[in-house]
């Protein structure tokens, strides 16, 4: 299983599933990352944290821990 954390810069990916539970999962979904949405990987910081993505027409930065909860194809 690949996660958003494993995606490379310049990739267009599709979200399969969001793992986790409770408020963390809800926060990720509130940011627009839901099942089936397309995400473009814009930048990854030198140490891998944070990951900057474009989702639903806006830019978003995610911590490594949050990006690891997003399963992609």
């Amino acid at each position: 299983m690949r996660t958003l954390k494993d995606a490379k810069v310049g990739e267009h990916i599709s979200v399969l599933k969001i793992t986790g539970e409770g408020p963390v999962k809800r926060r990720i979904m509130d940011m627009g990352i839901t099942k089936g949405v397309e995400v473009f990987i814009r930048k990854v910081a030198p140490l891998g944290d944070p990951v900057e993505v474009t989702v639903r027409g806006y830019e978003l930065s995610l911590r490594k821990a949050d990006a690891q909860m997003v399963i992609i194809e």
Side-chain angles (χ1 to χ4, degrees):
M1 286 190 314
R2 273 182 64 195
T3 65
L4 189 60
K5 181 185 136 201
D6 304 323
K8 305 292 181 214
V9 174
E11 254 187 294
H12 286 273
I13 54 97
S14 182
V15 176
L16 285 179
K17 180 180 176 181
I18 300 172
T19 60
E21 55 187 55
V24 176
K25 182 176 180 177
R26 170 54 49 201
R27 186 169 52 87
I28 292 171
M29 292 175 70
D30 287 345
M31 288 188 277
I33 299 176
T34 55
K35 182 179 177 181
V37 74
E38 185 175 309
V39 178
F40 175 68
I41 311 302
R42 294 194 62 222
K43 295 181 204 171
V44 178
L47 297 176
D49 199 13
V51 177
E52 190 173 308
V53 299
T54 300
V55 58
R56 299 183 192 264
Y58 68 94
E59 286 135 19
L60 176 67
S61 291
L62 290 169
R63 295 180 298 185
K64 244 192 306 192
D66 293 343
Q68 195 167 359
M69 293 182 193
V70 180
I71 308 296
I72 63 172
E73 25 181 357

